[in-house]
Amino acid sequence: MGRNTQIFTSIFLLLLFSPQEILIQGFEDSASRTLKQEPGRAHEVHCSRERSRAAWGVIEEYLMPFVEQEQYEISSKCRLHPDNDMFRDQEQHKIHVDINEWQCGYCKKSFRAEKFLDQHFDNRHNNLLNVSHGKCLADLCGALHCDFMMNSKSSRSKCNPAAVVKNRHLCESLANRCFPINQGSSASRLHELFLRQFCDAHKCPRKSQPFPKGGRKQPSVFYLAISILTLMLLPIFYLIVYLYQREMRGGTQELKRIPRVGRKAKPS
């Protein structure tokens, strides 16, 4: 009886304390895994990839054609420089294979849409981002009219005087920093163009649209259609000309043979 009581007591104590020990052990293991993951965890990025892409699109289309025309080299201290876009290297490693196929230039993995490739970059190649201070191009969206470029609802919202003043100040500071007027005639012309192209539209009420100087010339749909139609019809035209010339040569030879057949032999 005493032995049975001892066994029962041992089982009771085991059942009483084992769950606690298991819970503590599980917590310790979980904490250990968390601590192991901490050093390798990527930095959290507080920068919109989409708006950074829109900002670079504005720069590429409405500023760079004039910079290239002036043969001007933007300083790396200018926030519009490609090196100051934390997503620039990843964007350059996007391969648009087909309309429904995007490929990662780092690991060659394919995706059905660009947004899935963006998620792949965030999850697998986040360590390749340059997260140093001042590298978020999306911070310049207010000055560069990204909402207008993205056709966002905010671009058609009621004008906010405080935001307009802030964005105009940022715009003018970009002009002064990127195109100092004391750096020569090219920089001076680009400084003036930047003010007209981007800064003048920061007014309340909105009387003028941004980018009045235009941008990179894109081939129109009509021009592309005419070019394709010309390329299709050109071989047909040459074929018709070739057949016509061949027919004309054949008719001329027949006309030359007829007099020889009907000609009488001269008496000897």
Side-chain angles (χ1 to χ4, degrees), residues 64-100:
M64 293 311 296
F66 304 100
V67 174
E68 293 167 0
Q69 183 179 343
E70 291 286 349
Q71 298 181 348
Y72 183 82
E73 186 175 350
I74 297 178
S75 169
S76 59
K77 295 180 180 179
C78 168
R79 294 184 67 182
L80 304 176
H81 193 277
D83 290 346
N84 293 324
D85 176 15
M86 69 167 64
F87 299 111
R88 183 75 350 235
D89 187 68
Q90 289 189 351
E91 291 293 315
Q92 290 175 341
H93 279 81
K94 286 182 177 179
I95 304 172
H96 196 182
V97 180
D98 202 352
I99 187 170
N100 289 324

PDB file of all heavy atoms in Angstrom, residues 64-100:
ATOM      1  N   MET A  64      16.017  64.702 -67.407  1.00  0.00           N
ATOM      2  CA  MET A  64      17.241  64.172 -68.005  1.00  0.00           C
ATOM      3  C   MET A  64      17.426  64.521 -69.480  1.00  0.00           C
ATOM      4  O   MET A  64      18.572  64.725 -69.910  1.00  0.00           O
ATOM      5  CB  MET A  64      17.307  62.660 -67.800  1.00  0.00           C
ATOM      6  CG  MET A  64      17.484  62.234 -66.347  1.00  0.00           C
ATOM      7  SD  MET A  64      18.821  63.106 -65.501  1.00  0.00           S
ATOM      8  CE  MET A  64      20.237  62.529 -66.440  1.00  0.00           C
ATOM      9  N   PRO A  65      16.370  64.618 -70.316  1.00  0.00           N
ATOM     10  CA  PRO A  65      16.611  65.029 -71.716  1.00  0.00           C
ATOM     11  C   PRO A  65      17.306  66.381 -71.829  1.00  0.00           C
ATOM     12  O   PRO A  65      18.175  66.573 -72.684  1.00  0.00           O
ATOM     13  CB  PRO A  65      15.192  65.080 -72.311  1.00  0.00           C
ATOM     14  CG  PRO A  65      14.413  64.122 -71.483  1.00  0.00           C
ATOM     15  CD  PRO A  65      14.960  64.255 -70.097  1.00  0.00           C
ATOM     16  N   PHE A  66      16.974  67.317 -70.952  1.00  0.00           N
ATOM     17  CA  PHE A  66      17.595  68.643 -70.976  1.00  0.00           C
ATOM     18  C   PHE A  66      19.004  68.599 -70.391  1.00  0.00           C
ATOM     19  O   PHE A  66      19.894  69.321 -70.864  1.00  0.00           O
ATOM     20  CB  PHE A  66      16.714  69.634 -70.207  1.00  0.00           C
ATOM     21  CG  PHE A  66      15.306  69.717 -70.719  1.00  0.00           C
ATOM     22  CD1 PHE A  66      14.280  69.044 -70.077  1.00  0.00           C
ATOM     23  CD2 PHE A  66      15.009  70.460 -71.854  1.00  0.00           C
ATOM     24  CE1 PHE A  66      12.983  69.109 -70.547  1.00  0.00           C
ATOM     25  CE2 PHE A  66      13.711  70.534 -72.336  1.00  0.00           C
ATOM     26  CZ  PHE A  66      12.688  69.852 -71.680  1.00  0.00           C
ATOM     27  N   VAL A  67      19.198  67.757 -69.378  1.00  0.00           N
ATOM     28  CA  VAL A  67      20.541  67.589 -68.806  1.00  0.00           C
ATOM     29  C   VAL A  67      21.477  66.989 -69.855  1.00  0.00           C
ATOM     30  O   VAL A  67      22.627  67.417 -70.009  1.00  0.00           O
ATOM     31  CB  VAL A  67      20.484  66.697 -67.548  1.00  0.00           C
ATOM     32  CG1 VAL A  67      21.891  66.387 -67.039  1.00  0.00           C
ATOM     33  CG2 VAL A  67      19.666  67.378 -66.445  1.00  0.00           C
ATOM     34  N   GLU A  68      20.986  65.985 -70.575  1.00  0.00           N
ATOM     35  CA  GLU A  68      21.788  65.346 -71.631  1.00  0.00           C
ATOM     36  C   GLU A  68      22.064  66.328 -72.761  1.00  0.00           C
ATOM     37  O   GLU A  68      23.156  66.327 -73.342  1.00  0.00           O
ATOM     38  CB  GLU A  68      21.049  64.118 -72.158  1.00  0.00           C
ATOM     39  CG  GLU A  68      20.928  62.992 -71.132  1.00  0.00           C
ATOM     40  CD  GLU A  68      19.941  61.920 -71.552  1.00  0.00           C
ATOM     41  OE1 GLU A  68      19.346  62.048 -72.657  1.00  0.00           O
ATOM     42  OE2 GLU A  68      19.741  60.956 -70.778  1.00  0.00           O
ATOM     43  N   GLN A  69      21.094  67.152 -73.082  1.00  0.00           N
ATOM     44  CA  GLN A  69      21.273  68.146 -74.140  1.00  0.00           C
ATOM     45  C   GLN A  69      22.366  69.145 -73.780  1.00  0.00           C
ATOM     46  O   GLN A  69      23.149  69.573 -74.639  1.00  0.00           O
ATOM     47  CB  GLN A  69      19.945  68.864 -74.383  1.00  0.00           C
ATOM     48  CG  GLN A  69      19.992  69.878 -75.518  1.00  0.00           C
ATOM     49  CD  GLN A  69      18.637  70.536 -75.729  1.00  0.00           C
ATOM     50  OE1 GLN A  69      17.603  70.047 -75.270  1.00  0.00           O
ATOM     51  NE2 GLN A  69      18.637  71.667 -76.402  1.00  0.00           N
ATOM     52  N   GLU A  70      22.431  69.514 -72.511  1.00  0.00           N
ATOM     53  CA  GLU A  70      23.452  70.451 -72.040  1.00  0.00           C
ATOM     54  C   GLU A  70      24.781  69.757 -71.758  1.00  0.00           C
ATOM     55  O   GLU A  70      25.772  70.423 -71.461  1.00  0.00           O
ATOM     56  CB  GLU A  70      22.973  71.155 -70.765  1.00  0.00           C
ATOM     57  CG  GLU A  70      21.820  72.127 -70.976  1.00  0.00           C
ATOM     58  CD  GLU A  70      22.255  73.409 -71.662  1.00  0.00           C
ATOM     59  OE1 GLU A  70      23.472  73.643 -71.791  1.00  0.00           O
ATOM     60  OE2 GLU A  70      21.359  74.183 -72.054  1.00  0.00           O
ATOM     61  N   GLN A  71      24.785  68.402 -71.819  1.00  0.00           N
ATOM     62  CA  GLN A  71      25.980  67.608 -71.496  1.00  0.00           C
ATOM     63  C   GLN A  71      26.498  67.969 -70.100  1.00  0.00           C
ATOM     64  O   GLN A  71      27.689  68.150 -69.880  1.00  0.00           O
ATOM     65  CB  GLN A  71      27.062  67.809 -72.556  1.00  0.00           C
ATOM     66  CG  GLN A  71      26.653  67.346 -73.948  1.00  0.00           C
ATOM     67  CD  GLN A  71      27.756  67.524 -74.973  1.00  0.00           C
ATOM     68  OE1 GLN A  71      28.760  68.188 -74.728  1.00  0.00           O
ATOM     69  NE2 GLN A  71      27.593  66.911 -76.131  1.00  0.00           N
ATOM     70  N   TYR A  72      25.555  68.063 -69.187  1.00  0.00           N
ATOM     71  CA  TYR A  72      25.852  68.458 -67.810  1.00  0.00           C
ATOM     72  C   TYR A  72      25.886  67.215 -66.927  1.00  0.00           C
ATOM     73  O   TYR A  72      25.048  66.315 -67.075  1.00  0.00           O
ATOM     74  CB  TYR A  72      24.783  69.431 -67.314  1.00  0.00           C
ATOM     75  CG  TYR A  72      25.034  69.971 -65.922  1.00  0.00           C
ATOM     76  CD1 TYR A  72      25.895  71.022 -65.700  1.00  0.00           C
ATOM     77  CD2 TYR A  72      24.367  69.410 -64.817  1.00  0.00           C
ATOM     78  CE1 TYR A  72      26.113  71.525 -64.423  1.00  0.00           C
ATOM     79  CE2 TYR A  72      24.570  69.905 -63.544  1.00  0.00           C
ATOM     80  CZ  TYR A  72      25.442  70.956 -63.346  1.00  0.00           C
ATOM     81  OH  TYR A  72      25.650  71.445 -62.088  1.00  0.00           O
ATOM     82  N   GLU A  73      26.838  67.144 -66.026  1.00  0.00           N
ATOM     83  CA  GLU A  73      26.964  66.010 -65.115  1.00  0.00           C
ATOM     84  C   GLU A  73      26.456  66.413 -63.728  1.00  0.00           C
ATOM     85  O   GLU A  73      27.015  67.305 -63.087  1.00  0.00           O
ATOM     86  CB  GLU A  73      28.419  65.549 -65.019  1.00  0.00           C
ATOM     87  CG  GLU A  73      28.596  64.288 -64.200  1.00  0.00           C
ATOM     88  CD  GLU A  73      30.028  63.772 -64.222  1.00  0.00           C
ATOM     89  OE1 GLU A  73      30.835  64.283 -65.023  1.00  0.00           O
ATOM     90  OE2 GLU A  73      30.329  62.857 -63.423  1.00  0.00           O
ATOM     91  N   ILE A  74      25.396  65.754 -63.295  1.00  0.00           N
ATOM     92  CA  ILE A  74      24.816  66.055 -61.986  1.00  0.00           C
ATOM     93  C   ILE A  74      25.732  65.538 -60.887  1.00  0.00           C
ATOM     94  O   ILE A  74      26.198  64.393 -60.934  1.00  0.00           O
ATOM     95  CB  ILE A  74      23.413  65.425 -61.863  1.00  0.00           C
ATOM     96  CG1 ILE A  74      22.465  66.033 -62.897  1.00  0.00           C
ATOM     97  CG2 ILE A  74      22.844  65.624 -60.469  1.00  0.00           C
ATOM     98  CD1 ILE A  74      21.073  65.438 -62.876  1.00  0.00           C
ATOM     99  N   SER A  75      25.958  66.351 -59.890  1.00  0.00           N
ATOM    100  CA  SER A  75      26.821  65.966 -58.767  1.00  0.00           C
ATOM    101  C   SER A  75      26.148  64.888 -57.918  1.00  0.00           C
ATOM    102  O   SER A  75      24.921  64.848 -57.784  1.00  0.00           O
ATOM    103  CB  SER A  75      27.123  67.196 -57.911  1.00  0.00           C
ATOM    104  OG  SER A  75      27.734  66.816 -56.692  1.00  0.00           O
ATOM    105  N   SER A  76      26.969  64.036 -57.328  1.00  0.00           N
ATOM    106  CA  SER A  76      26.433  62.995 -56.447  1.00  0.00           C
ATOM    107  C   SER A  76      25.843  63.592 -55.171  1.00  0.00           C
ATOM    108  O   SER A  76      25.079  62.931 -54.461  1.00  0.00           O
ATOM    109  CB  SER A  76      27.534  61.988 -56.081  1.00  0.00           C
ATOM    110  OG  SER A  76      28.614  62.637 -55.434  1.00  0.00           O
ATOM    111  N   LYS A  77      26.168  64.855 -54.876  1.00  0.00           N
ATOM    112  CA  LYS A  77      25.586  65.535 -53.715  1.00  0.00           C
ATOM    113  C   LYS A  77      24.152  65.971 -53.983  1.00  0.00           C
ATOM    114  O   LYS A  77      23.412  66.282 -53.043  1.00  0.00           O
ATOM    115  CB  LYS A  77      26.434  66.759 -53.351  1.00  0.00           C
ATOM    116  CG  LYS A  77      27.847  66.416 -52.889  1.00  0.00           C
ATOM    117  CD  LYS A  77      28.632  67.669 -52.553  1.00  0.00           C
ATOM    118  CE  LYS A  77      30.044  67.323 -52.103  1.00  0.00           C
ATOM    119  NZ  LYS A  77      30.842  68.547 -51.802  1.00  0.00           N
ATOM    120  N   CYS A  78      23.785  65.987 -55.248  1.00  0.00           N
ATOM    121  CA  CYS A  78      22.406  66.330 -55.625  1.00  0.00           C
ATOM    122  C   CYS A  78      21.509  65.132 -55.336  1.00  0.00           C
ATOM    123  O   CYS A  78      21.826  63.999 -55.697  1.00  0.00           O
ATOM    124  CB  CYS A  78      22.354  66.700 -57.104  1.00  0.00           C
ATOM    125  SG  CYS A  78      20.677  66.825 -57.777  1.00  0.00           S
ATOM    126  N   ARG A  79      20.370  65.355 -54.717  1.00  0.00           N
ATOM    127  CA  ARG A  79      19.478  64.257 -54.357  1.00  0.00           C
ATOM    128  C   ARG A  79      18.801  63.636 -55.570  1.00  0.00           C
ATOM    129  O   ARG A  79      18.176  62.575 -55.467  1.00  0.00           O
ATOM    130  CB  ARG A  79      18.413  64.758 -53.367  1.00  0.00           C
ATOM    131  CG  ARG A  79      18.998  65.181 -52.027  1.00  0.00           C
ATOM    132  CD  ARG A  79      17.921  65.583 -51.053  1.00  0.00           C
ATOM    133  NE  ARG A  79      17.101  64.445 -50.660  1.00  0.00           N
ATOM    134  CZ  ARG A  79      16.053  64.536 -49.836  1.00  0.00           C
ATOM    135  NH1 ARG A  79      15.723  65.708 -49.329  1.00  0.00           N
ATOM    136  NH2 ARG A  79      15.351  63.463 -49.526  1.00  0.00           N
ATOM    137  N   LEU A  80      18.918  64.258 -56.731  1.00  0.00           N
ATOM    138  CA  LEU A  80      18.351  63.707 -57.958  1.00  0.00           C
ATOM    139  C   LEU A  80      19.303  62.738 -58.645  1.00  0.00           C
ATOM    140  O   LEU A  80      18.937  62.108 -59.640  1.00  0.00           O
ATOM    141  CB  LEU A  80      17.996  64.842 -58.929  1.00  0.00           C
ATOM    142  CG  LEU A  80      17.055  65.923 -58.395  1.00  0.00           C
ATOM    143  CD1 LEU A  80      16.882  67.028 -59.424  1.00  0.00           C
ATOM    144  CD2 LEU A  80      15.706  65.327 -58.016  1.00  0.00           C
ATOM    145  N   HIS A  81      20.509  62.606 -58.122  1.00  0.00           N
ATOM    146  CA  HIS A  81      21.504  61.697 -58.706  1.00  0.00           C
ATOM    147  C   HIS A  81      21.049  60.248 -58.505  1.00  0.00           C
ATOM    148  O   HIS A  81      20.498  59.895 -57.453  1.00  0.00           O
ATOM    149  CB  HIS A  81      22.858  61.926 -58.042  1.00  0.00           C
ATOM    150  CG  HIS A  81      23.994  61.276 -58.758  1.00  0.00           C
ATOM    151  ND1 HIS A  81      24.330  59.943 -58.597  1.00  0.00           N
ATOM    152  CD2 HIS A  81      24.884  61.768 -59.665  1.00  0.00           C
ATOM    153  CE1 HIS A  81      25.356  59.646 -59.356  1.00  0.00           C
ATOM    154  NE2 HIS A  81      25.721  60.736 -60.015  1.00  0.00           N
ATOM    155  N   PRO A  82      21.277  59.374 -59.510  1.00  0.00           N
ATOM    156  CA  PRO A  82      20.841  57.973 -59.398  1.00  0.00           C
ATOM    157  C   PRO A  82      21.373  57.257 -58.164  1.00  0.00           C
ATOM    158  O   PRO A  82      20.693  56.391 -57.610  1.00  0.00           O
ATOM    159  CB  PRO A  82      21.389  57.330 -60.681  1.00  0.00           C
ATOM    160  CG  PRO A  82      21.528  58.451 -61.638  1.00  0.00           C
ATOM    161  CD  PRO A  82      21.851  59.663 -60.836  1.00  0.00           C
ATOM    162  N   ASP A  83      22.572  57.621 -57.709  1.00  0.00           N
ATOM    163  CA  ASP A  83      23.148  56.962 -56.536  1.00  0.00           C
ATOM    164  C   ASP A  83      22.372  57.265 -55.264  1.00  0.00           C
ATOM    165  O   ASP A  83      22.547  56.573 -54.252  1.00  0.00           O
ATOM    166  CB  ASP A  83      24.610  57.383 -56.353  1.00  0.00           C
ATOM    167  CG  ASP A  83      25.508  56.810 -57.435  1.00  0.00           C
ATOM    168  OD1 ASP A  83      25.063  55.895 -58.156  1.00  0.00           O
ATOM    169  OD2 ASP A  83      26.649  57.276 -57.566  1.00  0.00           O
ATOM    170  N   ASN A  84      21.533  58.290 -55.292  1.00  0.00           N
ATOM    171  CA  ASN A  84      20.770  58.669 -54.110  1.00  0.00           C
ATOM    172  C   ASN A  84      19.356  58.079 -54.109  1.00  0.00           C
ATOM    173  O   ASN A  84      18.476  58.566 -53.399  1.00  0.00           O
ATOM    174  CB  ASN A  84      20.704  60.199 -53.993  1.00  0.00           C
ATOM    175  CG  ASN A  84      22.065  60.794 -53.714  1.00  0.00           C
ATOM    176  OD1 ASN A  84      22.868  60.207 -52.990  1.00  0.00           O
ATOM    177  ND2 ASN A  84      22.357  61.944 -54.286  1.00  0.00           N
ATOM    178  N   ASP A  85      19.169  57.051 -54.900  1.00  0.00           N
ATOM    179  CA  ASP A  85      17.914  56.296 -54.901  1.00  0.00           C
ATOM    180  C   ASP A  85      18.217  54.898 -54.382  1.00  0.00           C
ATOM    181  O   ASP A  85      18.918  54.126 -55.040  1.00  0.00           O
ATOM    182  CB  ASP A  85      17.335  56.234 -56.320  1.00  0.00           C
ATOM    183  CG  ASP A  85      16.077  55.384 -56.411  1.00  0.00           C
ATOM    184  OD1 ASP A  85      15.485  55.069 -55.358  1.00  0.00           O
ATOM    185  OD2 ASP A  85      15.685  55.030 -57.540  1.00  0.00           O
ATOM    186  N   MET A  86      17.721  54.554 -53.207  1.00  0.00           N
ATOM    187  CA  MET A  86      18.053  53.268 -52.597  1.00  0.00           C
ATOM    188  C   MET A  86      17.560  52.072 -53.412  1.00  0.00           C
ATOM    189  O   MET A  86      18.093  50.980 -53.301  1.00  0.00           O
ATOM    190  CB  MET A  86      17.480  53.195 -51.172  1.00  0.00           C
ATOM    191  CG  MET A  86      15.977  53.121 -51.094  1.00  0.00           C
ATOM    192  SD  MET A  86      15.406  52.649 -49.437  1.00  0.00           S
ATOM    193  CE  MET A  86      15.980  54.032 -48.468  1.00  0.00           C
ATOM    194  N   PHE A  87      16.550  52.280 -54.261  1.00  0.00           N
ATOM    195  CA  PHE A  87      16.000  51.182 -55.059  1.00  0.00           C
ATOM    196  C   PHE A  87      16.597  51.106 -56.462  1.00  0.00           C
ATOM    197  O   PHE A  87      16.221  50.234 -57.243  1.00  0.00           O
ATOM    198  CB  PHE A  87      14.474  51.332 -55.187  1.00  0.00           C
ATOM    199  CG  PHE A  87      13.749  51.297 -53.876  1.00  0.00           C
ATOM    200  CD1 PHE A  87      13.137  52.444 -53.384  1.00  0.00           C
ATOM    201  CD2 PHE A  87      13.672  50.138 -53.133  1.00  0.00           C
ATOM    202  CE1 PHE A  87      12.454  52.428 -52.176  1.00  0.00           C
ATOM    203  CE2 PHE A  87      12.997  50.108 -51.917  1.00  0.00           C
ATOM    204  CZ  PHE A  87      12.382  51.255 -51.449  1.00  0.00           C
ATOM    205  N   ARG A  88      17.514  52.016 -56.790  1.00  0.00           N
ATOM    206  CA  ARG A  88      17.982  52.111 -58.174  1.00  0.00           C
ATOM    207  C   ARG A  88      18.644  50.818 -58.650  1.00  0.00           C
ATOM    208  O   ARG A  88      18.383  50.340 -59.750  1.00  0.00           O
ATOM    209  CB  ARG A  88      18.968  53.287 -58.290  1.00  0.00           C
ATOM    210  CG  ARG A  88      19.472  53.543 -59.696  1.00  0.00           C
ATOM    211  CD  ARG A  88      18.480  54.212 -60.616  1.00  0.00           C
ATOM    212  NE  ARG A  88      17.130  54.326 -60.166  1.00  0.00           N
ATOM    213  CZ  ARG A  88      16.077  53.868 -60.858  1.00  0.00           C
ATOM    214  NH1 ARG A  88      16.255  53.209 -61.972  1.00  0.00           N
ATOM    215  NH2 ARG A  88      14.867  54.061 -60.415  1.00  0.00           N
ATOM    216  N   ASP A  89      19.496  50.211 -57.810  1.00  0.00           N
ATOM    217  CA  ASP A  89      20.185  48.985 -58.231  1.00  0.00           C
ATOM    218  C   ASP A  89      19.195  47.852 -58.450  1.00  0.00           C
ATOM    219  O   ASP A  89      19.299  47.101 -59.423  1.00  0.00           O
ATOM    220  CB  ASP A  89      21.220  48.577 -57.176  1.00  0.00           C
ATOM    221  CG  ASP A  89      22.077  47.410 -57.636  1.00  0.00           C
ATOM    222  OD1 ASP A  89      22.883  47.592 -58.573  1.00  0.00           O
ATOM    223  OD2 ASP A  89      21.932  46.298 -57.087  1.00  0.00           O
ATOM    224  N   GLN A  90      18.206  47.732 -57.576  1.00  0.00           N
ATOM    225  CA  GLN A  90      17.202  46.686 -57.746  1.00  0.00           C
ATOM    226  C   GLN A  90      16.360  46.932 -58.988  1.00  0.00           C
ATOM    227  O   GLN A  90      16.037  45.987 -59.721  1.00  0.00           O
ATOM    228  CB  GLN A  90      16.307  46.609 -56.501  1.00  0.00           C
ATOM    229  CG  GLN A  90      17.004  46.035 -55.286  1.00  0.00           C
ATOM    230  CD  GLN A  90      16.044  45.777 -54.143  1.00  0.00           C
ATOM    231  OE1 GLN A  90      14.880  46.172 -54.185  1.00  0.00           O
ATOM    232  NE2 GLN A  90      16.521  45.102 -53.107  1.00  0.00           N
ATOM    233  N   GLU A  91      15.998  48.184 -59.235  1.00  0.00           N
ATOM    234  CA  GLU A  91      15.212  48.499 -60.429  1.00  0.00           C
ATOM    235  C   GLU A  91      15.980  48.164 -61.698  1.00  0.00           C
ATOM    236  O   GLU A  91      15.388  47.739 -62.697  1.00  0.00           O
ATOM    237  CB  GLU A  91      14.829  49.985 -60.424  1.00  0.00           C
ATOM    238  CG  GLU A  91      13.821  50.378 -59.359  1.00  0.00           C
ATOM    239  CD  GLU A  91      12.449  49.776 -59.591  1.00  0.00           C
ATOM    240  OE1 GLU A  91      11.969  49.809 -60.734  1.00  0.00           O
ATOM    241  OE2 GLU A  91      11.852  49.263 -58.631  1.00  0.00           O
ATOM    242  N   GLN A  92      17.284  48.350 -61.663  1.00  0.00           N
ATOM    243  CA  GLN A  92      18.108  48.023 -62.823  1.00  0.00           C
ATOM    244  C   GLN A  92      18.279  46.511 -62.992  1.00  0.00           C
ATOM    245  O   GLN A  92      18.706  46.066 -64.058  1.00  0.00           O
ATOM    246  CB  GLN A  92      19.471  48.707 -62.698  1.00  0.00           C
ATOM    247  CG  GLN A  92      19.403  50.212 -62.852  1.00  0.00           C
ATOM    248  CD  GLN A  92      20.730  50.890 -62.599  1.00  0.00           C
ATOM    249  OE1 GLN A  92      21.637  50.329 -61.979  1.00  0.00           O
ATOM    250  NE2 GLN A  92      20.864  52.127 -63.067  1.00  0.00           N
ATOM    251  N   HIS A  93      17.975  45.746 -61.952  1.00  0.00           N
ATOM    252  CA  HIS A  93      18.056  44.284 -62.037  1.00  0.00           C
ATOM    253  C   HIS A  93      16.696  43.651 -62.300  1.00  0.00           C
ATOM    254  O   HIS A  93      16.496  42.469 -62.038  1.00  0.00           O
ATOM    255  CB  HIS A  93      18.666  43.712 -60.752  1.00  0.00           C
ATOM    256  CG  HIS A  93      20.159  43.791 -60.723  1.00  0.00           C
ATOM    257  ND1 HIS A  93      20.838  44.942 -60.388  1.00  0.00           N
ATOM    258  CD2 HIS A  93      21.117  42.867 -61.014  1.00  0.00           C
ATOM    259  CE1 HIS A  93      22.142  44.724 -60.460  1.00  0.00           C
ATOM    260  NE2 HIS A  93      22.335  43.482 -60.833  1.00  0.00           N
ATOM    261  N   LYS A  94      15.768  44.452 -62.810  1.00  0.00           N
ATOM    262  CA  LYS A  94      14.489  43.926 -63.275  1.00  0.00           C
ATOM    263  C   LYS A  94      14.579  43.636 -64.772  1.00  0.00           C
ATOM    264  O   LYS A  94      15.013  44.498 -65.550  1.00  0.00           O
ATOM    265  CB  LYS A  94      13.362  44.929 -63.033  1.00  0.00           C
ATOM    266  CG  LYS A  94      12.925  45.055 -61.594  1.00  0.00           C
ATOM    267  CD  LYS A  94      11.775  46.035 -61.471  1.00  0.00           C
ATOM    268  CE  LYS A  94      11.267  46.112 -60.047  1.00  0.00           C
ATOM    269  NZ  LYS A  94      10.151  47.084 -59.916  1.00  0.00           N
ATOM    270  N   ILE A  95      14.184  42.444 -65.157  1.00  0.00           N
ATOM    271  CA  ILE A  95      14.198  42.053 -66.564  1.00  0.00           C
ATOM    272  C   ILE A  95      12.759  41.801 -67.000  1.00  0.00           C
ATOM    273  O   ILE A  95      12.113  40.871 -66.512  1.00  0.00           O
ATOM    274  CB  ILE A  95      15.053  40.791 -66.789  1.00  0.00           C
ATOM    275  CG1 ILE A  95      16.475  41.011 -66.268  1.00  0.00           C
ATOM    276  CG2 ILE A  95      15.087  40.422 -68.276  1.00  0.00           C
ATOM    277  CD1 ILE A  95      17.333  39.766 -66.270  1.00  0.00           C
ATOM    278  N   HIS A  96      12.259  42.652 -67.901  1.00  0.00           N
ATOM    279  CA  HIS A  96      10.881  42.490 -68.394  1.00  0.00           C
ATOM    280  C   HIS A  96      10.930  41.591 -69.627  1.00  0.00           C
ATOM    281  O   HIS A  96      11.120  42.049 -70.747  1.00  0.00           O
ATOM    282  CB  HIS A  96      10.292  43.855 -68.740  1.00  0.00           C
ATOM    283  CG  HIS A  96       8.813  43.845 -68.884  1.00  0.00           C
ATOM    284  ND1 HIS A  96       8.080  44.948 -69.236  1.00  0.00           N
ATOM    285  CD2 HIS A  96       7.907  42.830 -68.724  1.00  0.00           C
ATOM    286  CE1 HIS A  96       6.805  44.633 -69.291  1.00  0.00           C
ATOM    287  NE2 HIS A  96       6.683  43.355 -68.987  1.00  0.00           N
ATOM    288  N   VAL A  97      10.754  40.300 -69.395  1.00  0.00           N
ATOM    289  CA  VAL A  97      10.891  39.304 -70.462  1.00  0.00           C
ATOM    290  C   VAL A  97       9.729  39.390 -71.429  1.00  0.00           C
ATOM    291  O   VAL A  97       9.901  39.408 -72.642  1.00  0.00           O
ATOM    292  CB  VAL A  97      10.990  37.886 -69.861  1.00  0.00           C
ATOM    293  CG1 VAL A  97      11.145  36.843 -70.968  1.00  0.00           C
ATOM    294  CG2 VAL A  97      12.157  37.800 -68.886  1.00  0.00           C
ATOM    295  N   ASP A  98       8.513  39.413 -70.885  1.00  0.00           N
ATOM    296  CA  ASP A  98       7.295  39.433 -71.696  1.00  0.00           C
ATOM    297  C   ASP A  98       6.234  40.205 -70.942  1.00  0.00           C
ATOM    298  O   ASP A  98       6.455  40.640 -69.807  1.00  0.00           O
ATOM    299  CB  ASP A  98       6.833  37.999 -71.978  1.00  0.00           C
ATOM    300  CG  ASP A  98       5.941  37.900 -73.216  1.00  0.00           C
ATOM    301  OD1 ASP A  98       5.566  38.967 -73.743  1.00  0.00           O
ATOM    302  OD2 ASP A  98       5.617  36.785 -73.640  1.00  0.00           O
ATOM    303  N   ILE A  99       5.056  40.349 -71.545  1.00  0.00           N
ATOM    304  CA  ILE A  99       4.003  41.146 -70.935  1.00  0.00           C
ATOM    305  C   ILE A  99       3.589  40.601 -69.576  1.00  0.00           C
ATOM    306  O   ILE A  99       3.237  41.346 -68.675  1.00  0.00           O
ATOM    307  CB  ILE A  99       2.777  41.233 -71.890  1.00  0.00           C
ATOM    308  CG1 ILE A  99       1.755  42.217 -71.322  1.00  0.00           C
ATOM    309  CG2 ILE A  99       2.165  39.863 -72.148  1.00  0.00           C
ATOM    310  CD1 ILE A  99       0.651  42.565 -72.280  1.00  0.00           C
ATOM    311  N   ASN A 100       3.652  39.298 -69.400  1.00  0.00           N
ATOM    312  CA  ASN A 100       3.282  38.674 -68.128  1.00  0.00           C
ATOM    313  C   ASN A 100       4.452  37.925 -67.496  1.00  0.00           C
ATOM    314  O   ASN A 100       4.243  36.939 -66.780  1.00  0.00           O
ATOM    315  CB  ASN A 100       2.100  37.704 -68.329  1.00  0.00           C
ATOM    316  CG  ASN A 100       0.800  38.435 -68.605  1.00  0.00           C
ATOM    317  OD1 ASN A 100       0.550  39.496 -68.057  1.00  0.00           O
ATOM    318  ND2 ASN A 100      -0.012  37.882 -69.481  1.00  0.00           N
TER     319      ASN A 100
END
